């Protein structure tokens, strides 16, 4: 039996459909365990809600969500704003972390190796590197 691969997905989900597709595909790869979906860019609270609503709709509330570094000056497309307008993160049956960077650090510390997949701007991953450069030897970065 192949060894499990533990993944943190860093995503700017919520602008267009590509990150939904990537997350959906990742959910269906045998041997991959998504430890955290970490949101980046612009209004990261909005992006966390988009990820939560998507994961809940596909029955995968076992996946943790982390809100990453927000950039209030970055005005990005929020294509799914109407879809999540009334959605509250309190409605997500899974675990959510307001400090997604701290949660990512906790996960990386707990595993011999974590795969970091960046499909958005690398602000969160850069913060991880600055905050805990010692942990980077335990990570494989895929962008």
């Amino acid at each position: 039996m192949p060894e499990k691969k533990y993944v943190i997905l860093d995503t700017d989900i919520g602008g267009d459909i590509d990150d939904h597709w990537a997350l959906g595909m990742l959910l269906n790869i045998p041997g991959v365990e998504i430890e955290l979906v970490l949101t980046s860019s612009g209004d990261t609270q909005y992006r966390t809600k988009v990820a939560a609503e998507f994961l809940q709709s596909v029955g995968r509330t076992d996946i943790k969500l982390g809100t990453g570094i927000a950039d209030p000056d970055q005005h990005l497309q929020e294509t799914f704003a109407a879809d999540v307008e009334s959605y509250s993160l309190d409605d997500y049956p899974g675990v959510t972390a307001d400090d997604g960077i701290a949660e990512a650090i906790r996960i990386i510390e707990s595993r011999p190796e974590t795969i970091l997949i960046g499909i958005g701007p690398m602000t969160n991953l850069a913060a991880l590197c600055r905050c805990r450069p010692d942990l980077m030897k335990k990570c494989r970065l895929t962008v």
Side-chain angles (χ1 to χ4, degrees):
M1 185 170 192
E3 188 177 323
K4 273 191 180 178
K5 304 292 183 192
Y6 298 97
V7 170
I8 293 174
L9 178 67
D10 185 57
T11 175
D12 61 348
I13 195 168
D16 49 34
I17 199 69
D18 62 334
D19 289 43
H20 283 85
W21 278 100
L23 177 54
M25 290 180 69
L26 199 55
L27 290 170
N28 289 294
I29 298 175
V32 168
E33 185 170 323
I34 303 172
E35 294 269 35
L36 179 69
V37 173
L38 179 61
T39 59
S40 66
S41 297
D43 182 353
T44 50
Q45 191 76 12
Y46 155 76
R47 295 181 190 292
T48 304
K49 286 170 56 173
V50 170
E53 193 277 330
F54 176 75
L55 289 170
Q56 191 167 353
S57 72
V58 298
R60 291 299 308 270
T61 58
D62 58 307
I63 297 175
K64 294 178 194 161
L65 297 169
T67 302
I69 299 168
D71 185 350
D73 295 328
Q74 194 176 30
H75 302 288
L76 301 172
Q77 184 176 350
E78 295 182 353
T79 306
F80 303 95
D83 298 326
V84 298
E85 184 176 1
S86 63
Y87 188 88
S88 169
L89 286 176
D90 293 334
D91 296 333
Y92 184 67
V95 175
T96 61
D98 290 333
D99 186 345
I101 302 296
E103 184 61 20
I105 289 170
R106 189 196 66 70
I107 290 167
I108 295 166
E109 287 175 331
S110 74
R111 299 278 179 210
E113 181 179 73
T114 303
I115 299 170
L116 302 176
I117 300 176
I119 58 173
M122 301 293 138
T123 51
N124 291 326
L125 300 182
L128 279 169
C129 290
R130 280 191 304 273
C131 183
R132 291 294 304 275
D134 59 303
L135 291 179
M136 295 306 103
K137 64 183 174 224
K138 296 177 72 175
C139 298
R140 282 188 20 216
L141 178 61
T142 304
V143 292

